Amino acid sequence: MVAFAVIVRDSDAGKRAALAAKLAPVCRARHILLLIANDPALASRVRADGVHLSEAALARRAVGAGAMRPRRSRGLVTAAAHSFPALLRADRRGVDAVLLSPVFPTLSHPGARTIGALRFAALVHALRCHGGSAQVMALGGVNAKNAARLVRAGAAGLAAIGALL
């Protein structure tokens, strides 16, 4: 099954709320999942499908027992991770999926240390060896040329910013 999602991220709460309000009906009409970054209250207000947590937000808050889930019982929780400890923490906190990044060089984070496809595969494997069950998605420099390689490396999904522009 192929699913598409939009994550609304903006450090300005007002801009984030306005964007979420505009995108919510569009996403619903097109059967696209809508996740709101770090704001379960806003996710509930706009009837989003869930929340996406930054690595820092996940470190500060519990996910289980509905602590970060929107009031809708089936709300998704995804999280960002940039290392194995963060990946493991996200899984142990009960997130549904983790966006592991940056896999490849990306314009949104110039000069950032990348994971690469082989290390991505090793991190997914290590998570499974530790009993982890979260879906791991690849983010960062994902494009049509490397997508198949990432799926073979164990990516449950692909996330992109620049590749879509």
Side-chain angles (χ1 to χ4, degrees):
M1 179 178 136
V2 175
F4 292 93
V6 170
I7 298 174
V8 177
R9 289 179 50 194
D10 197 302
S11 58
D12 181 289
K15 288 179 183 176
R16 187 174 55 246
L19 183 57
K22 288 179 184 176
L23 284 172
V26 174
C27 288
R28 273 193 293 280
R30 289 171 173 75
H31 306 287
I32 297 170
L33 299 174
L34 178 64
L35 305 176
I36 308 299
N38 302 318
D39 194 340
L42 176 58
S44 291
R45 279 197 312 275
V46 299
R47 296 182 307 133
D49 298 291
V51 295
H52 175 75
L53 303 174
S54 66
E55 194 172 310
L58 183 67
R60 290 189 307 265
R61 296 181 160 169
V63 174
M68 281 300 292
R69 292 189 187 272
R71 284 182 223 139
R72 298 173 63 200
S73 62
R74 69 182 208 278
L76 297 170
V77 176
T78 64
H82 304 91
S83 65
F84 183 70
L87 179 62
L88 193 57
R89 180 174 42 252
D91 181 74
R92 289 186 174 162
R93 296 271 175 101
V95 303
D96 300 300
V98 182
L99 278 66
L100 184 57
S101 71
V103 180
F104 300 115
T106 174
L107 294 175
S108 63
H109 292 85
R113 184 171 175 226
T114 60
I115 297 167
L118 292 177
R119 179 131 174 82
F120 181 91
L123 292 169
V124 172
H125 179 73
L127 178 65
R128 300 297 174 245
C129 288
H130 280 83
S133 61
Q135 298 296 304
V136 182
M137 301 189 185
L139 172 64
V142 175
N143 60 39
K145 293 179 182 177
N146 59 35
R149 184 166 44 144
L150 290 167
V151 171
R152 288 191 302 273
L158 306 172
I161 299 170
L164 303 175
L165 301 175

